[in-house]
Amino acid sequence: MFDLEPDDELALVLETARRLAREELVPPMRTHEADRAISPALASSWEEVGLSTLDVPIELDGAGMGCLARVFVNEALAEGDVGAAIALDPYGTALVALLEVGGLEAARTLREATGDGARRALFVDARDALVSEDDAGLTLDVPWVAADEAVALVLLDENGVCLVTEGLAFDSVRGAGIRAAGGGRLRLDGAPVAGRWENAEGAGRARARARLHTASLLLGVLSASCTFSANYAQERQAFGRPIAHHQALAFLITDMRIALDAARLVVHEAAWRVDQRLPCETEAASAFAEVIEVGRTIGPNGVQILGGHGFMADYPVEKHMREARALSLLHGGFDAAIEDAGQALIAQERPLGLGQEGAL
Amino acid sequence: MIDFRIDPEAQARLAEAAEIGLKELRPAGLEADKNMAPIPVGDPFFDRCLERGEGGTSWTGLDGKRARSPRRSVVERLLLSEEQAYWDRGVIIALPGPGLPENNVISMGTDEQKERYLGPFLEPDRPRWACFGMTEPGAGSDAAAIRTTARKDGDGWILNGAKCFIGSASRSDWILVQATLDPTKGRGAQRAFFVEKGTPGLGSFKIEKKMGLKAYESTSFSLDDVRVPAANLLGGEARYESSAGFKTAMRTFNAGRPQIAANAVGMARSALDESIRFAREHDLLGRDRVRDRIEAISRKVRKARLVGLKAGWLADEERPNIIEASMSKALAAQMAQEATTLGLELVGIVGARGDHLIEKLYRDVKAMDIVEGTGQVQRMIVARTLVGLPR
Ligand SMILES: Cc1cc2nc3c(=O)[nH]c(=O)nc-3n(C[C@H](O)[C@H](O)[C@H](O)COP(=O)(O)OP(=O)(O)OC[C@H]3O[C@@H](n4cnc5c(N)ncnc54)[C@H](O)[C@@H]3O)c2cc1C
C-alpha cells in the first residue's frame, strides 16, 4: 500500500549524494562553469563513491538499484550543480537504454566500449537530431549535447537503439548552460554502427527512462532555485520587512514549492513504475511535461525574487533559469512529451481510474 | 519502502464505490442540479443509503465494539473520497451521518456526549444528520472573529448569533455551534456547543441558492437566546484552557483538507473522462488541440492526487502534515477548476447549454477552493512555515 518512505539503502545513498552536492559541487560551481569542465581531482575522487553505477545492473558490476534510486540521486546532485552532475556520470541513460532494448548483452557491449574509467557515453534521442543512414554508415547532426567529447553514442529511435563508437566529432558550442559538462554540436559523417538492437516496446521504456533521467535533473535545478530564492526572500528587506513577508511573494514562494513537490511525486511514481515493470511510458512523458511546465514558472521567478541581483552571475538563480530551460528542450521537449502522453491517453476509456493494475 | 500500489482489498472497495456512484450518486446529483434544490429529507435515496450500511458513525461505541463504518487508513479514505466525488461531490455531502463534527466529538467529547450524540448513528433507525456551524455572515476565513456569543446562565448557556452556509443544518439532529465567551478575546474564548433540533430560539433556517453542489443544503440560521444545558459544552468545562476552544474547530478543518483535495481530484477526473468521451463521440481525437487539453487535464489530476495522498500518508504515519494538507488543498482546488475549464473549452458551445456534465463540474468545483479554508488561507498556512509569514 501507498508508502513514500525510501528504504534504508536508498536513504543512505541519498544522504551521501546530498552531502557531496553541498560540499563538492556547489562551491566550485562557477569555476566549473568557466572552465567548461570539472576539476580532475573531483573526477577521480568521484569514482570511488559509486553513485554513477547506481542503476547499472548487478550483473554488470553496478549497484542494481533501479530507476527510482537514480531519479532521487540525480535530483540531489543536480541541486548542487547539474553540469557537474552530468560530467560525473559516465553513462547518463545510455546504458539503461541499451539494457531496455537489447538486454544485458547490449548493455555489456557499452560497458566494454567505455572501459571501467569515467569515459563518457552519450545518449541521444533521435528526435533531437537530424539522422540519415546509407551504405557508408550513419550521418547525424545534434545541435547540442552537454559534452565536449565521448567514446560512445547510443542513439534511440522509435524502433530501438544503435551504438556508435567511432567517428564522433564535436564542434565546441558555448551552450545555454550546463557548461561544466562541456558543450558541443555532435556530428557523425557516415560512421560505422557498432551494434543495433530493435524492440519497440523496449525503445518506449528506454525513452521513458531517459525522460525521467532528465526530469530528475531538472527537479534538482528547480529545487535549488526554490530554496535559494526562498531563503534570500527571508533576509532581504524592503518596505520595512523581509520581502517574503509581503503576501505577494509569500504566496509566490508557496506556489513554487507546491508545484515542485507535485512534480517530484509525479516523477517518482513514474520511476517506481519503471522498476515494477508496469507500463510507464505515458507516465514518464507526462512527468517530464509536468516538470518542464513547473520550470517555466520557477526558473524566471527564482530570478524575480532576487530582483536585479538575481539577474547577475553573483547569484546562482540566473544559472538555474538558463539550465532548466536547456534541459527542458531535450527528448523533443514539451511538445513531444505531451504528444506521446496525449496519444496514449485517448486510447483509453478511463485513463486515471483508480486501482488499475494494482497501482494508482 | 516506496510503493504506489493500492492493495487488493482497497481496490475491491473502490470498485464497489464506483458501482454505487454510477447507479446512485451520479443520477441523484444530476437530478438535484436540474431541480435546483437539495435532495429532500424523505427521499427514498436516503433509505437506500441506510440499507447499504451508510449513514453511520465510525465511533466504536462506549464498549469499543460496535462500528458501523469501520475506520480505514487515511490514504484509503482519500481514494474513496476521490471515487465518490468522481460520481457526484454534492451528493456525498448530502449523505446522512454525523458529518463534519464527528471527529471533534470522538476526540474531544465526553462519554455522555458521545453516547447521546453519536449513539443514534451506531444503528440509525432513519436517515440522520449532524453538522458543524462555524461560519458567520461577518466571519469566515478569520474564524477567530466570530460574533456568536455564549453567556453562562445558571447551570446552562445562552447562545446568540447567526451562522451561514452550514451544510445540512435544517435537517440535522444537532448542530455543533462555535461561539465565543468574549468577542474581544479571540480564539481562547471560543467554545463549541451541541444545539439540538427544536431548541427554542434556534430558527430562521434559510436554504441558500448556490451556483453548484445543489444536492445538499447550505443553510443560514439564527440563534436567539438559545438555552442549552451545561452538559452541551463540547468536552465539558474542564477541557477548556488557553486556546483549546479554538483548536477544537481548527482540528476539524485540518482533518478535512486532503479530503477536499481528493474530492477536487475526483471531479477533475470526471471532467477528464467526459472530455475523452465527448471527443471520441464527435471524432475529435485526431485534433492536436483536443489531445493537448486531454493531456493537460490528466496531468493535473495525476499530480494533485499524489500530493493529496502524500498528506494522507503522513497522517497515517502520525507525522505532522499541516503544510502538506494545505498544499494539497490549494493545489487540487485550483487544478480541478482549470481541468473543468479546459474540458469546457474542449466541448465548446455545447457547454454553454447548461446541461453538460462538465459544465456542472465547473460550477461544483469552485467551492473546493472556498470551503474549509480558501486557497489564500491555505497559502498563508504554508507560508508561515516556509518563510515565516507573520500571522
Ligand atoms: C458550499 C459551501 C459549503 C459550506 N459549508 C460550511 C459548513 O458546513 N460549515 C461552516 O462552518 N462553513 C461552511 N462554509 C463556509 C466556508 O467555510 C467559508 O465560506 C470560507 O471559510 C470563507 O469564508 P468567507 O466566505 O467569509 O470569505 P472571507 O473570509 O470573507 O474571504 C473573502 C476573500 O478574502 C480572502 N482572504 C481572507 N483573508 C485573507 C488574508 N488574510 N489574506 C489574503 N486573502 C484573504 C479569502 O481567501 C477570500 O478570497 C461553506 C461554504 C460554501 C461555499
Side-chain angles (χ1 to χ4, degrees):
Chain A
M1 191 70 178
F2 196 83
D3 188 353
L4 296 175
E5 192 67 35
D7 57 30
D8 292 348
E9 192 185 8
L10 178 55
L12 212 66
V13 168
L14 253 179
E15 206 186 296
T16 309
R18 288 190 181 128
R19 185 174 48 76
L20 291 173
R22 206 170 46 238
E23 292 172 4
E24 299 191 34
L25 304 192
V26 173
M29 177 165 73
R30 290 296 189 177
T31 313
H32 287 161
E33 186 180 39
D35 294 350
R36 303 175 56 82
I38 50 170
S39 69
L42 176 61
S44 62
S45 74
W46 199 257
E47 277 169 49
E48 294 153 31
V49 185
L51 287 178
S52 38
T53 51
L54 210 63
D55 55 351
V56 174
I58 294 167
E59 293 87 338
L60 300 176
D61 307 324
M65 286 178 72
C67 183
L68 187 59
R70 175 92 255 164
V71 155
F72 265 100
V73 168
N74 274 353
E75 178 180 345
L77 296 178
E79 193 164 354
D81 178 22
V82 66
I86 291 174
L88 288 163
D89 180 0
Y91 297 116
T93 28
L95 192 103
V96 292
L98 283 171
L99 189 70
E100 290 291 350
V101 181
L104 274 176
E105 272 320 301
R108 191 165 283 133
T109 327
L110 179 67
R111 201 80 166 121
E112 279 155 15
T114 51
D116 283 339
R119 298 197 299 160
R120 285 176 66 192
L122 284 182
F123 169 86
V124 169
D125 189 319
R127 291 174 179 185
D128 294 335
L130 289 173
V131 192
S132 63
E133 196 173 0
D134 56 23
D135 294 343
L138 199 60
T139 296
L140 170 114
D141 186 348
V142 193
W144 172 71
V145 292
D148 283 336
E149 55 176 9
V151 295
L153 164 72
V154 172
L155 181 69
L156 172 78
D157 65 20
E158 309 304 315
N159 305 315
V161 286
C162 64
L163 175 67
V164 179
T165 51
E166 291 168 58
L168 278 71
F170 293 82
D171 301 330
S172 185
V173 297
R174 186 167 61 113
I178 320 183
R179 292 180 200 136
R185 171 180 176 186
L186 168 63
R187 277 193 288 195
L188 299 178
D189 187 11
V193 173
R196 186 190 301 279
W197 295 267
E198 298 213 332
N199 163 6
E201 196 202 321
R205 295 182 61 85
R207 175 164 286 122
R209 294 186 77 155
R211 278 185 167 137
L212 292 172
H213 188 89
T214 305
S216 57
L217 293 171
L218 252 167
L219 282 176
V221 176
L222 299 176
S223 179
S225 178
C226 279
T227 306
F228 194 93
S229 54
N231 288 339
Y232 181 92
Q234 290 171 80
E235 301 291 325
R236 177 79 177 174
Q237 303 266 333
F239 299 98
R241 54 190 141 141
I243 54 172
H245 295 179
H246 295 285
Q247 214 180 54
L249 278 200
F251 283 14
L252 175 64
I253 292 166
T254 298
D255 282 336
M256 286 161 69
R257 173 63 186 274
I258 294 175
L260 178 69
D261 277 20
R264 181 183 292 121
L265 283 168
V266 171
V267 170
H268 288 178
E269 193 215 356
W272 173 83
R273 295 178 72 98
V274 169
D275 291 341
Q276 299 295 316
R277 301 210 67 81
L278 287 163
C280 58
E281 294 168 45
T282 320
E283 289 77 5
S286 178
F288 187 43
E290 182 60 27
V291 184
I292 293 174
E293 195 165 275
V294 163
R296 287 177 187 157
T297 14
I298 292 181
N301 277 321
V303 173
Q304 189 69 18
I305 291 170
L306 273 73
H309 296 275
F311 200 73
M312 309 299 159
D314 301 335
Y315 289 101
V317 284
E318 64 82 25
K319 183 168 174 288
H320 298 144
M321 174 173 154
R322 286 184 285 117
E323 298 190 327
R325 204 80 277 279
L327 287 168
S328 301
L329 305 176
L330 287 167
H331 319 299
F334 185 77
D335 284 1
I338 63 169
E339 181 61 19
D340 286 357
Q343 291 287 3
L345 279 164
I346 59 168
Q348 300 169 49
E349 199 82 30
R350 295 180 54 201
L352 289 170
L354 287 168
Q356 295 172 2
E357 301 131 14
L360 282 177
Chain B
M1 173 129 120
I2 295 174
D3 191 357
F4 290 89
R5 219 178 297 270
I6 303 175
D7 65 46
E9 300 87 67
Q11 236 170 291
R13 284 189 286 272
L14 286 167
E16 197 183 322
E19 215 179 292
I20 295 169
L22 174 67
K23 279 205 212 108
E24 294 281 351
L25 307 189
R26 176 67 58 81
L30 292 174
E31 176 79 8
D33 196 61
K34 203 171 78 192
N35 296 341
M36 311 225 292
I39 306 172
V41 173
D43 199 287
F45 170 82
F46 294 128
D47 300 322
R48 294 199 295 279
C49 293
L50 255 53
E51 281 159 25
R52 284 195 302 271
E54 295 161 12
T57 178
S58 59
W59 181 55
T60 52
L62 283 180
D63 54 11
K65 285 188 189 131
R66 291 170 296 176
R68 195 168 169 88
S69 339
R71 261 193 178 290
R72 311 262 180 224
S73 72
V74 179
V75 164
E76 183 174 339
R77 275 186 278 154
L78 294 181
L79 292 170
L80 204 63
S81 288
E82 177 190 322
E83 187 60 36
Q84 290 179 321
Y86 174 92
W87 298 102
D88 199 283
R89 199 274 174 177
V91 174
I92 58 179
I93 304 301
L95 295 177
L100 209 51
E102 180 184 30
N103 285 335
N104 274 352
V105 181
I106 292 174
S107 64
M108 308 261 309
T110 63
D111 282 354
E112 293 73 31
Q113 287 170 343
K114 288 179 194 167
E115 189 61 49
R116 183 171 175 96
Y117 295 109
L118 295 178
F121 289 95
L122 284 166
E123 294 291 337
D125 51 337
R126 58 176 172 80
R128 291 174 177 276
W129 289 266
C131 66
F132 179 62
M134 165 71 113
T135 305
E136 301 180 357
S141 303
D142 187 6
I146 58 165
R147 287 288 172 272
T148 294
T149 55
R151 177 167 50 84
K152 191 90 200 208
D153 179 60
D155 59 351
W157 295 89
I158 307 276
L159 306 180
N160 273 293
K163 297 287 176 184
C164 65
F165 313 155
I166 311 304
S168 301
S170 84
R171 61 187 69 189
S172 285
D173 286 4
W174 49 269
I175 304 171
L176 190 64
V177 170
Q178 191 80 3
T180 174
L181 306 188
D182 181 349
T184 64
K185 292 214 172 109
R187 339 179 138 186
Q190 289 189 7
R191 303 286 185 271
F193 298 88
F194 293 95
V195 178
E196 296 178 25
K197 190 180 201 138
T199 308
L202 171 67
S204 315
F205 289 102
K206 174 175 170 264
I207 296 179
E208 302 290 345
K209 290 196 163 56
K210 291 180 287 194
M211 171 167 73
L213 302 177
K214 297 182 201 278
Y216 73 97
E217 54 157 288
S218 296
T219 302
S220 304
F221 59 88
S222 59
L223 301 131
D224 300 310
D225 287 331
V226 171
R227 188 169 205 289
V228 296
N232 287 27
L233 171 62
L234 176 66
E237 204 92 33
R239 186 108 211 179
Y240 289 90
E241 274 154 25
S242 69
S243 66
F246 182 75
K247 285 200 183 117
T248 311
M250 295 319 279
R251 186 166 300 161
T252 305
F253 282 65
N254 285 351
R257 284 176 200 145
Q259 197 88 17
I260 305 285
N263 288 168
V265 172
M267 295 157 94
R269 176 156 64 87
S270 209
L272 170 65
D273 289 358
E274 208 48 33
S275 298
I276 294 180
R277 200 168 70 99
F278 184 91
R280 182 168 295 134
E281 270 171 16
H282 294 81
D283 213 12
L284 298 171
L285 289 173
R287 297 196 191 180
D288 293 357
R289 285 185 201 147
V290 168
R291 272 201 315 277
D292 287 356
R293 288 198 169 92
I294 289 170
E295 188 280 332
I297 301 171
S298 102
R299 193 144 43 81
K300 289 172 196 303
V301 171
R302 200 189 290 280
K303 68 175 164 181
R305 176 192 279 164
L306 286 169
V307 172
L309 290 179
K310 181 177 176 188
W313 170 75
L314 285 169
D316 280 334
E317 297 277 299
E318 298 183 352
R319 296 196 217 168
N321 80 337
I322 299 296
I323 303 193
E324 289 79 4
S326 285
M327 286 179 26
S328 73
K329 187 180 175 294
L331 174 71
Q334 199 174 337
M335 80 78 198
Q337 195 69 60
E338 290 164 7
T340 56
T341 302
L342 288 172
L344 278 178
E345 287 172 1
L346 190 147
V347 303
I349 191 80
V350 169
R353 222 163 49 195
D355 60 358
H356 197 278
L357 179 63
I358 302 181
E359 188 270 336
K360 175 177 179 293
L361 288 162
Y362 172 78
R363 287 181 282 115
D364 286 354
V365 83
K366 187 71 203 78
M368 302 301 98
D369 207 22
I370 300 170
V371 299
E372 300 203 22
T374 63
Q376 287 71 31
V377 168
Q378 306 307 333
R379 284 170 176 83
M380 276 164 49
I381 292 168
V382 177
R384 277 176 200 151
T385 306
L386 216 55
V387 295
L389 182 71
R391 280 173 189 273

